[in-house]
Amino acid sequence: TKGTVLVVGIDNVQLKNVGVLQKINKIVIILSWTAVLLWLVLIFYLSSQPAVQSDGLSKKVTKVIVDTVDRVVELDDEKSEIDLVEKFNHIVRKYALFSSWGISNECL
């Protein structure tokens, strides 16, 4: 008849599989939220660093990036490595900020 749903073939094995899938789903949800919380703790930790310490860390990262790019593409020889690190440090810091919040968005 119209509007009637007929369920055929459900047995205990299938019901147990549904229970297992529900448990797996709960575990995935718990792990996902744990990842989000850990990521937010990392962002908070890095954001709470004093400016001098944070700038020093980002300059180290910028230096690694400048050195790596210099190996692949010959950078301007007229500018010293320190000038390039100073020039790109602001860009690296902003990219790190946007990336960290983008990753937290994807975790959600």
Side-chain angles (χ1 to χ4, degrees):
T1 63
K2 194 172 188 179
T4 304
V5 177
L6 180 62
V7 178
V8 180
I10 294 182
D11 56 10
N12 286 338
V13 173
Q14 288 176 329
L15 290 176
K16 287 180 184 176
N17 287 341
V18 170
V20 170
L21 290 176
Q22 289 174 341
K23 287 180 183 178
I24 290 172
N25 191 29
K26 286 181 183 179
I27 291 171
V28 168
I29 289 170
I30 290 170
L31 290 176
S32 297
W33 279 106
T34 302
V36 169
L37 292 175
L38 288 174
W39 189 253
L40 292 176
V41 166
L42 178 66
I43 289 173
F44 179 76
Y45 169 74
L46 293 174
S47 298
S48 66
Q49 290 180 338
V52 174
Q53 183 181 3
S54 176
D55 190 51
L57 178 63
S58 64
K59 282 183 180 177
K60 289 177 186 176
V61 172
T62 305
K63 183 177 180 336
V64 169
I65 292 171
V66 167
D67 290 343
T68 304
V69 170
D70 191 34
R71 280 190 230 135
V72 176
V73 178
E74 192 171 322
L75 296 176
D76 192 2
D77 287 336
E78 294 176 13
K79 292 189 176 188
S80 70
E81 184 177 303
I82 295 172
D83 292 338
L84 291 173
V85 169
E86 291 294 328
K87 180 178 180 180
F88 290 113
N89 188 40
H90 180 73
I91 296 169
V92 169
R93 289 176 66 91
K94 292 303 171 190
Y95 183 76
L97 175 69
F98 293 133
S99 297
S100 66
W101 286 109
I103 290 171
S104 66
N105 183 44
E106 288 302 315
C107 287
L108 289 173

